[in-house]
Every structure is written in structure tokens, then in C-alpha cells.
């Protein structure tokens, strides 16, 4: 009998200017399920569908608007994001990873959204952003996804896309992460 250890991860998240501490039990990376394709609707990895050019353009459009240098694509970060997107698709869950990167996650009906519109869902939080304030006091409502996109010190991005249960899951991870308490996004 093989015993697989679980890792206890404390996740600190800030959403809509509110703080919450979540406890999650996460399988070590080697225990993450892999996705397969079948006619019965089992999760199907769609990682190859990530359009780096489209994702970068969508992110960098928001960064340009605030005068922040554009992001560059990282294959190693993309591999991490892809792995997490595949996990979400395989389990049908919707939660952040413990990757150590900044992270935005999105889910929607399979095939109904362009990758630009997925990123724009986060970028749309711009309307709640309060210029000149320090995090987390930068939002009137939810805007933490937007601030991660425009965070000045973030330089690299990688994303993964997977499908499962008739839903697409997009995970974008950012290095270095943003949304640090007491710091301004740019």
C-alpha cells in the first residue's frame, strides 16, 4: 500500500479589498491528475490552444495604458500554469494554486470566449481601480485581477488553457507576483 502525502497550504487571498485566509489540502505535483481525451466528456487538455501573441497583447494593452513596461512570455511559467489549468479541468474545481507566482484564473463555457475576452474579463475590473492608492486600498469593488495585470514589478507571464466538464479554464501566472500590501501597483 502506497501512502501519498498531502501538503497543507495556507493561501492568503485578497478579493474586492477584503482579506481571507483559506486552508487547502493540495496533492504534491507528482500526484496531480493528467487529462485525457474521450468521447464521454472527460477533461481534455487544450494547452496547445494558448495563443501567446493574443494573451500578451491583451495584457500589455492594459499595461501600456498606465505606462508600465510590457510583459514577456515564459515557457517555464506557462508549464506551471498549464499544469494547474489541467488540474482545474480534471477536478472541476476553481481555486488558486500554491505555485508561488501571481495568478489569475478564469472559467467559462467551452469555445464561447476568445483568449482576449478572457483576459478582458480581468481587465474590466479597471473601472473599480483607484489610481494613486496602495494595495489593497486600490479598489472600489473587485480589481485584484486587474492590479496583477498592471503590477509594475511583474515582468513575465505564462498561461495554460484546458477544457473539462464543458468549461474552459485559463490560468495565467505572473513573475514576480504583484498585489503586495502597502505597495502601489505602479
Amino acid at each position: 500500500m502506497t501512502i501519498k502525502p498531502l501538503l497543507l497550504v495556507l493561501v492568503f487571498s485578497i478579493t474586492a479589498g477584503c482579506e481571507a485566509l483559506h486552508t487547502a489540502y493540495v496533492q504534491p505535483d507528482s500526484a496531480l491528475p493528467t487529462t485525457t481525451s474521450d468521447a464521454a466528456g472527460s477533461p481534455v487538455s487544450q494547452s496547445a490552444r494558448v495563443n501567446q501573441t493574443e494573451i500578451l497583447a491583451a495584457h500589455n494593452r492594459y499595461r501600456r495604458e498606465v505606462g508600465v513596461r510590457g510583459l514577456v512570455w515564459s515557457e517555464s511559467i506557462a508549464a506551471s500554469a498549464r499544469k494547474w489549468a489541467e488540474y482545474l479541468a480534471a477536478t472541476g474545481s476553481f481555486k488558486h494554486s500554491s505555485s508561488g507566482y501571481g495568478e489569475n484564473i478564469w472559467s467559462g463555457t467551452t469555445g464561447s470566449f476568445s483568449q482576449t475576452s478572457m483576459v478582458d474579463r480581468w481587465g474590466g475590473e479597471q473601472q473599480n481601480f483607484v489610481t494613486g492608492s496602495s494595495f489593497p486600498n486600490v479598489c472600489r469593488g473587485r480589481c485584484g485581477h486587474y492590479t496583477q495585470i498592471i503590477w509594475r514589478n511583474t515582468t513575465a507571464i505564462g498561461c495554460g488553457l484546458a477544457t473539462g466538464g464543458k468549461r474552459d479554464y485559463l490560468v495565467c501566472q505572473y513573475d514576480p507576483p504583484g498585489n503586495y500590501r502597502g505597495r502601489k501597483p505602479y
Side-chain angles (χ1 to χ4, degrees):
M1 178 162 105
T2 304
I3 298 174
K4 294 183 179 178
L6 291 175
L7 302 175
L8 173 64
V9 179
L10 295 178
V11 179
F12 180 74
S13 65
I14 299 175
T15 303
C18 298
E19 299 173 25
L21 183 63
H22 305 280
T23 303
Y25 293 91
V26 181
Q27 295 286 340
D29 286 346
S30 61
L32 289 177
T34 57
T35 56
T36 57
S37 172
D38 72 15
S42 293
V44 178
S45 171
Q46 298 294 322
S47 300
R49 287 188 359 199
V50 170
N51 183 326
Q52 295 174 22
T53 303
E54 185 176 351
I55 293 282
L56 276 171
H59 277 81
N60 287 335
R61 182 179 78 241
Y62 290 104
R63 294 176 68 85
R64 250 189 332 274
E65 289 174 0
V66 297
V68 177
R69 185 174 11 111
L71 298 171
V72 297
W73 190 263
S74 165
E75 284 300 329
S76 61
I77 298 171
S80 172
R82 181 172 41 256
K83 192 176 214 178
W84 192 249
E86 290 172 352
Y87 172 79
L88 295 176
T91 62
S93 58
F94 193 75
K95 60 185 180 181
H96 287 283
S97 72
S98 57
S99 67
Y101 295 118
E103 182 173 83
N104 283 341
I105 59 176
W106 176 94
S107 179
T109 305
T110 299
S112 297
F113 300 88
S114 69
Q115 290 174 38
T116 296
S117 67
M118 294 172 187
V119 173
D120 285 345
R121 188 74 172 154
W122 302 322
E125 295 175 359
Q126 178 182 27
Q127 67 187 359
N128 300 322
F129 179 69
V130 179
T131 305
S133 299
S134 296
F135 197 83
N137 301 317
V138 295
C139 303
R140 286 185 302 265
R142 172 179 275 176
C143 77
H145 302 99
Y146 171 71
T147 55
Q148 176 57 79
I149 290 172
I150 63 164
W151 201 264
R152 176 182 305 280
N153 294 337
T154 299
T155 58
I157 184 175
C159 301
L161 180 64
T163 299
K166 299 182 182 178
R167 298 195 67 78
D168 286 335
Y169 294 85
L170 176 68
V171 175
C172 288
Q173 295 178 339
Y174 307 85
D175 190 46
N179 293 350
Y180 284 99
R181 177 174 281 289
R183 295 189 188 164
K184 292 183 179 181
Y186 60 90

